[in-house]
């Protein structure tokens, strides 16, 4: 058995020992030193070159290093008969919840305004909104969105979520489908994007969406750069209808030098680090799925390419 591993060198240094310890029978090969491609049965990958996976004739499963699989869905030669498994693991989930809670509280407590006041040595107390009067809306109530929503609710924020299918989550006001979107947006002051990037969600953070949010709303995009129509956000920030934004993901990554987001006074930029898969915890879900495959059992967290995630 062989496992192809393609990733940044520093991450390979963490992954290879973790795989060897948990799956000692598994031979690990790190891209580009793959040897005979016909010996590759499993791949653990992040943004492989298009067409690369089609070269492995005996592939049993493709494991994505990330929760989002848009980087694989866009490969026209992705072998259609091989199951693709997205990353679901507690390290990734807790990292995303930290990011969402941190950015939500940052906007809720008006930290950009206080930072500006500090820059000009101004001591001024701005109006205070109690948590239960701050309405947060999470687009995407999946593995990551539902955990973040629940943790925000424990801080007594007024949390709603929006998903494709109906959901029932304790303490969360749940909306779904295109029919639920308008009401969800109308009640949302801090909007968090955590849907996958699909044909249906591409460009969902656009002028029309922003117009349906109350004046002064904030945007947190931790999904994908393709969710955001950048010019629409810049225009909405300029008009003041959108107060501020925290952006972790971008159309072009790294965010190009000179891009207006870099120096924008109302935008917080992070370099796609909202959350990161943690080999130490992720090895369990990877190994459990390899064992399921070897035992002839169905895999968990398999991507449904018909719905796009
Ligand atoms: P899940 O598949 O578990 O959840 C996706 C959620 O989005 C589900 O609730 C789903 O609805 C909802 N959804 C999908 N399509 C639509 C639609 N058309 N309309 C309304 N709701 C929709 O994904 P995860 O929570 O694991 O991950 C979400 C995304 O987060 C990833 O795809 C990735 O892009 C991003 N991500 C970003 C990271 C970062 O560092 N910035 C790190 C990790 C992930 P339903 O429940 O009905 O299926
Ligand atoms: C992911 C990511 O999808 O890191 O997991 O963006």
């Amino acid at each position: 058995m062989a496992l192809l591993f393609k990733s940044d060198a520093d991450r390979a240094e963490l992954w290879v020992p973790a795989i060897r310890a948990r799956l000692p029978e598994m031979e690990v090969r790190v891209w580009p030193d793959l040897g005979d491609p016909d010996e590759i049965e499993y791949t653990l990958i992040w943004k492989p070159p298009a067409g690369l996976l089609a070269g492995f004739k005996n592939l049993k499963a493709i494991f994505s290093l990330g929760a989002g699989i848009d980087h694989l869905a866009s490969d026209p030669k992705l072998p259609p008969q091989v199951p693709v498994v997205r990353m679901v693991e507690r390290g990734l989930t807790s990292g995303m919840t930290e990011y969402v809670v941190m950015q939500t509280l940052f906007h809720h407590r008006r930290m950009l305004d206080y930072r500006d006041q500090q820059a000009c040595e101004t001591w001024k107390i701005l109006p205070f909104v109690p948590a239960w009067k701050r309405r947060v809306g999470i687009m995407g109530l999946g593995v990551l969105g539902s955990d973040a929503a629940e943790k925000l609710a424990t801080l007594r924020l007024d949390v709603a979520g929006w998903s494709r299918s109906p959901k029932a989550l304790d303490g969360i006001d749940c909306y779904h489908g295109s029919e639920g979107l308008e009401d969800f947006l109308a009640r949302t002051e801090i909007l968090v994007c955590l849907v996958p990037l699909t044909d249906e969600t591409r460009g969902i953070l656009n002028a029309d969406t922003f117009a349906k949010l109350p004046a002064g709303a904030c945007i947190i995009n931790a999904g994908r750069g393709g969710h955001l129509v950048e010019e629409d956000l810049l225009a909405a920030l300029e008009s003041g209808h959108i107060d501020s934004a925290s952006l972790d993901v971008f159309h072009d990554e790294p965010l190009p030098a000179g891009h207006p987001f870099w120096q924008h006074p109302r935008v917080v930029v992070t370099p796609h680090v909202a959350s990161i898969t943690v080999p130490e915890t992720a090895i369990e879900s990877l190994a459990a799925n390899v064992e399921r495959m070897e035992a002839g059992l169905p895999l968990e967290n398999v991507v449904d390419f018909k719905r796009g995630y």
Side-chain angles (χ1 to χ4, degrees):
M1 189 188 294
L3 186 133
L4 155 69
F5 186 85
K6 177 203 173 293
S7 180
D8 304 339
D10 58 335
R11 307 207 74 208
E13 276 165 24
L14 296 175
W15 271 104
V16 173
I19 295 167
R20 289 200 174 124
R22 179 61 181 77
L23 295 167
E25 304 298 303
M26 178 85 75
E27 185 191 336
V28 184
R29 297 184 189 170
V30 181
W31 188 79
D33 301 321
L34 300 183
D36 180 356
D38 290 354
E39 290 172 2
I40 305 296
E41 293 176 307
Y42 297 99
T43 62
L44 175 61
I45 37 107
W46 180 245
K47 298 188 179 171
L52 181 80
L53 295 167
F56 306 123
K57 295 193 186 61
N58 296 313
L59 207 50
K60 293 178 176 173
I62 297 168
F63 294 106
S64 168
L65 259 178
I69 53 78
D70 43 294
H71 63 112
L72 292 172
S74 58
D75 181 349
K77 292 192 178 152
L78 192 71
Q81 75 289 1
V82 181
V84 173
V85 177
R86 60 189 214 87
M87 187 55 76
V88 175
E89 66 98 5
R90 64 189 160 87
L92 188 64
T93 303
S94 69
M96 183 57 80
T97 294
E98 281 173 26
Y99 176 87
V100 172
V101 169
M102 171 177 70
Q103 297 298 341
T104 300
L105 294 181
F106 183 87
H107 292 285
H108 165 55
R109 297 299 299 266
R110 303 190 60 171
M111 286 310 295
L112 273 181
D113 298 317
Y114 283 118
R115 202 185 61 179
D116 290 350
Q117 288 191 181
Q118 182 179 349
C120 50
E121 300 185 13
T122 300
W123 184 279
K124 186 176 157 205
I125 296 166
L126 300 171
F128 177 77
V129 177
W132 55 93
K133 293 200 173 158
R134 180 68 75 199
R135 299 189 307 270
V136 185
I138 316 261
M139 299 182 109
L141 281 177
V143 174
L144 302 180
S146 60
D147 192 69
E150 280 164 5
K151 301 298 184 304
L152 288 170
T154 65
L155 295 171
R156 300 187 205 290
L157 288 143
D158 181 356
V159 185
W162 179 72
S163 51
R164 212 167 65 111
S165 55
K167 294 264 175 301
L169 293 177
D170 252 9
I172 315 294
D173 203 2
C174 294
Y175 298 78
H176 68 276
S178 46
E179 65 279 22
L181 184 58
E182 200 158 326
D183 288 346
F184 165 76
L185 293 173
R187 53 80 63 211
T188 290
E189 295 169 303
I190 299 178
L191 179 68
V192 179
C193 178
L194 268 178
V195 284
L197 185 64
T198 66
D199 290 345
E200 284 176 32
T201 64
R202 192 176 305 281
I204 195 162
L205 300 177
N206 58 34
D208 191 39
T209 299
F210 300 150
K212 290 176 176 144
L213 294 167
C218 305
I219 307 295
I220 298 172
N221 188 16
R224 285 288 181 262
H227 288 129
L228 177 66
V229 181
E230 295 185 346
E231 319 76 80
D232 289 3
L233 177 61
L234 288 166
L237 287 166
E238 182 66 31
S239 75
H241 182 69
I242 297 297
D243 174 79
S244 48
S246 292
L247 306 176
D248 183 60
V249 285
F250 302 90
H251 275 267
D252 297 320
E253 295 183 4
L255 186 63
H259 191 288
F261 288 152
W262 276 122
Q263 301 297 336
H264 200 293
R266 305 303 295 172
V267 175
V268 176
V269 169
T270 47
H272 199 146
V273 290
S275 191
I276 293 176
T277 298
V278 182
E280 188 190 325
T281 41
I283 185 64
E284 253 330 297
S285 57
L286 175 78
N289 256 335
V290 168
E291 285 163 358
R292 292 178 77 82
M293 173 62 93
E294 295 300 316
L297 297 169
L299 301 185
E300 289 173 342
N301 305 314
V302 173
V303 175
D304 174 354
F305 279 99
K306 281 203 205 85
R307 60 175 199 177
Y309 62 104

